[in-house]
Amino acid sequence: MSLFGDGLDAAVQKTFTRPAPKSAPAQMRYLVKQLKGTRAVAQMLRISQRTVERYVKNQIKKPRPDLAARLDREVRKRWQPQVRAKARRQAATTGGIVIDTRARLGYTAPVGSTDESRVRHLTIALPPQHAARLFDAQQAGADDRHLQQITAEALKEVYFQDGGRRAGSLEEVRFTDIEHLEFEL
């Protein structure tokens, strides 16, 4: 499971203007239309082409739990690509992104300092350039560790350094022991 990647995807999915298909036959028909054929859908979902055809014709209505999860994930990944692109573009240029997290945050500081590493609950609006870095890295296939590093750098700049007004000598922020992480556009 990818905590940061899934969090970014969930934030983008909240911008959808229409709900994605819910039933398995409707989801299967959508994927067949998107991939232009039943063979491609069968290979992607690791099932037989005949099974795909039976879903399309409403002969099968209830998939196994593992197939239902793969089917739902693939539909959501492809649903409303223009809306998804517009939401990412807007966050990266004007809107920014809000991060809500409960994690161990801080940096090496004297014991008792307010910036010492400790569990904090933060809800912070990150400026558009940080949203752009996160989405660009995600599009480039960055792993969770890299996305976590980008998020830590953004929190360092926005929260700890307050846009350059304090803690100017701050080197590296630690962002670990994540209990909760949610993004909002």
Side-chain angles (χ1 to χ4, degrees):
M1 187 179 98
S2 169
L3 186 65
F4 286 82
D6 291 347
L8 289 170
D9 286 340
V12 170
Q13 287 176 9
K14 290 177 187 173
T15 66
F16 287 166
T17 56
R18 290 190 337 249
K22 296 267 188 271
S23 73
Q27 289 177 327
M28 203 65 81
R29 285 190 290 275
Y30 173 76
L31 287 176
V32 167
K33 187 175 177 184
Q34 288 296 303
L35 299 178
K36 297 175 177 37
T38 55
R39 179 178 290 143
V41 174
Q43 288 173 341
M44 178 185 63
L45 295 174
R46 301 185 308 273
I47 57 177
S48 72
Q49 187 174 353
R50 180 69 188 124
T51 302
V52 172
E53 292 166 357
R54 292 176 65 203
Y55 274 105
V56 168
K57 292 179 182 175
N58 258 0
Q59 293 172 342
I60 307 177
K61 293 183 173 123
K62 189 94 172 93
R64 301 181 317 266
D66 62 322
L67 174 59
R70 287 195 311 265
L71 187 59
D72 190 53
R73 186 176 58 248
E74 293 300 330
V75 167
R76 286 185 180 281
K77 195 189 305 181
R78 290 169 175 76
W79 189 247
Q80 292 193 330
Q82 289 90 356
V83 172
R84 177 174 293 158
K86 181 182 176 192
R88 283 191 172 120
R89 199 170 40 252
Q90 185 176 357
T93 55
T94 56
I97 192 166
V98 174
I99 180 173
D100 180 51
T101 186
R102 179 166 168 78
R104 183 167 297 283
L105 284 156
Y107 60 95
T108 307
V111 175
S113 163
T114 59
D115 295 325
E116 183 183 13
S117 185
R118 65 172 190 258
V119 174
R120 304 168 196 247
H121 183 207
L122 299 176
T123 302
I124 295 187
L126 300 177
Q129 69 267 22
H130 297 296
R133 281 189 64 204
L134 279 167
F135 284 129
D136 290 347
Q138 184 189 29
Q139 296 293 97
D143 62 346
D144 240 28
R145 191 178 48 76
H146 187 76
L147 293 172
Q148 182 174 352
Q149 184 181 356
I150 292 170
T151 305
E153 290 169 10
L155 290 171
K156 173 181 108 174
E157 188 178 308
V158 175
Y159 179 71
F160 287 104
Q161 293 181 327
D162 195 17
R165 288 191 278 281
R166 63 184 202 91
S169 62
L170 177 59
E171 294 288 321
E172 177 188 0
V173 167
R174 290 194 187 91
F175 184 33
T176 57
D177 303 338
I178 300 166
E179 296 173 15
H180 167 77
L181 177 74
E182 192 175 322
F183 292 100
E184 187 96 18
L185 299 181

